[in-house]
Amino acid sequence: MAAAALLRGAAPGRGGPAWRWWLRAAPRCLLAHNFRSPGGDPTAGATWACFRLDGRTLLRVRGPDAAPFLLGLLTNELPLPGPAAWGAPPPACAGYAHFLNVQGRTLYDVILYGLQEHSEEVSGFLLECDSSVQGALQKHLALYRIRRKVTVEPHPELRVWAVLPSSPEACGNTPLQQSAGAAVILIRDPRTACMGWRLLTQDEGPAVVSGCRLGDLWDYHQHRYLQGVPEGVGDLPPGVALPLESNLAFMNGVSFTKGCYIGQELTARTHHMGVIRKRLFPVRFLDPLPASGITPGATVLTASGQTVGKFRAGQGNVGLALLWSEKIKGPLHIRASEGAQVALAASVPDWWPTGL
């Protein structure tokens, strides 16, 4: 992949100021001090944690008709590369969106990376998706391709990593610094600032980002669930989840002014009605879990036994549940398969807009 010049900019949406980069395999850009320890354990002073996301994979969509083709299928505008600087190729940019079925329910959540290559006059795109549905997504795209000049193919050359600060104080206070000689894409996660950065590289993440240690994937998912960020088909079951109930608008994943796309009618109607009674909330279990865990789809109840919603997915004592917004403040519980009653509490993430 061709490397490009460094760009510092602002992330879209409600996440606040952030940075995005297309990193260059040239002299190192000194954006910050090198946080690697001069001796001993190189991870002792790590400011960042890199998480290898083997559950995420990439599809490459390119060709003269790639942009209009994707626009007719996605809930959001495309992340098109901006103008080039100092004779370098335009930097990469990222966006978030869902593919919907004709009934307006989510099929696949994707992070899109817009690229401009030297050899092509038009933009190409990388689609990051759940690796378990890569083949299904490829078939979905083929169904609507018809005679368009578009090529859709897996892109296994790059691995997907998440980069998060080791402490909340580090986020925003200390710019990231690349290691010299790496051809990578490091870009702000387009969903929300609390999800850090996305890194696409052939190399190991800690070798690319200075001051970075290898993180435990468990910690990544714990962080994601605590922040209420769904990802993949476990959190967003294909043909079941509704995009606005899944907080797609909060995560900068839908445009209400773009042209038509598959499944748009229900999404637009729900938005213009202005009432979304149920949402996907982060939940934390307050009691020990049974050995079998909590079954996805388990009913969430109030103290009086009134149904509030359903548990969607989780890890350990945290997860996501689709709940009626007006009923989340009181005591809640789930009746587990063994008959045990497990208490839980729902919360409103602080990155959501106020006044809900």
Side-chain angles (χ1 to χ4, degrees):
M1 178 183 298
L6 184 68
L7 175 71
R8 181 171 177 172
R14 300 182 176 87
W19 298 268
R20 71 185 182 193
W21 300 264
W22 178 285
L23 300 181
R24 170 169 46 184
R28 177 176 299 182
C29 298
L30 297 177
L31 296 179
H33 298 291
N34 190 335
F35 286 91
R36 294 189 185 276
S37 301
D41 183 2
T43 67
T47 307
W48 311 100
C50 290
F51 303 89
R52 179 172 166 174
L53 305 182
D54 290 331
R56 306 290 287 179
T57 192
L58 297 168
L59 281 176
R60 186 180 183 186
V61 180
R62 56 177 174 163
D65 297 332
F69 169 64
L70 289 174
L71 275 173
L73 297 174
L74 288 166
T75 58
N76 209 355
E77 300 285 358
L78 297 178
L80 298 175
W86 304 296
C93 50
Y96 180 63
H98 285 190
F99 288 95
L100 309 181
N101 63 16
V102 294
Q103 288 80 31
R105 294 183 180 270
T106 293
L107 289 176
Y108 316 108
D109 65 305
V110 294
I111 295 179
L112 300 102
Y113 304 89
L115 311 174
Q116 182 81 52
E117 299 186 12
H118 287 291
S119 59
E120 298 180 3
E121 297 180 357
V122 295
S123 299
F125 302 91
L126 294 178
L127 274 58
E128 178 197 318
C129 65
D130 190 313
S131 54
S132 69
V133 294
Q134 183 189 52
L137 176 54
Q138 201 168 351
K139 290 179 181 179
H140 179 73
L141 294 173
L143 178 66
Y144 292 98
R145 185 175 56 197
I146 312 176
R147 295 182 179 178
R148 293 181 184 269
K149 296 178 180 179
V150 176
T151 301
V152 180
E153 57 193 357
H155 194 67
E157 292 85 356
L158 296 178
R159 299 178 184 142
V160 181
W161 295 74
V163 182
L164 295 172
S166 295
S167 64
E169 296 78 15
C171 189
N173 294 333
T174 308
L176 286 175
Q177 177 187 7
Q178 72 163 115
S179 294
V184 302
I185 298 172
L186 176 63
I187 198 163
R188 199 68 172 84
D189 192 309
R191 297 171 294 184
T192 169
C194 68
M195 289 306 296
W197 289 261
R198 263 335 201 231
L199 171 65
L200 309 182
T201 178
Q202 298 177 358
D203 303 313
E204 294 298 304
V208 174
V209 180
S210 291
C212 191
R213 62 174 175 83
L214 180 63
D216 189 325
L217 191 58
W218 176 277
D219 295 333
Y220 169 77
H221 290 301
Q222 285 284 112
H223 172 79
R224 185 172 62 77
Y225 282 129
L226 285 169
Q227 296 297 334
V229 177
E231 185 175 281
V233 296
D235 300 336
L236 300 166
V240 175
L242 289 169
L244 297 187
E245 290 184 351
S246 304
N247 305 315
L248 185 63
F250 295 171
M251 295 186 289
N252 310 305
V254 60
S255 170
F256 298 108
T257 58
K258 73 185 288 287
C260 297
Y261 57 88
I262 301 297
Q264 180 187 35
E265 183 178 354
L266 176 61
T267 304
R269 185 167 67 245
T270 303
H271 169 70
H272 290 299
M273 287 175 61
V275 179
I276 302 172
R277 302 187 187 279
K278 292 186 291 183
R279 288 194 180 275
L280 208 55
F281 286 92
V283 295
R284 181 190 291 270
F285 292 104
L286 307 178
D287 294 330
L289 300 181
S292 60
I294 301 297
T295 304
T299 302
V300 180
L301 305 167
T302 64
S304 62
Q306 185 179 13
T307 298
V308 180
K310 292 184 177 181
F311 178 69
R312 178 63 62 77
Q315 175 184 269
N317 67 335
V318 296
L320 299 171
L322 183 66
L323 305 173
W324 288 89
S325 300
E326 61 185 18
K327 299 178 180 178
I328 67 168
K329 294 183 179 179
L332 304 175
H333 69 273
I334 288 176
R335 292 195 183 99
S337 56
E338 288 86 347
Q341 184 170 297
V342 181
L344 72 154
S347 60
V348 176
D350 57 11
W351 59 270
W352 284 13
T354 58
L356 293 177

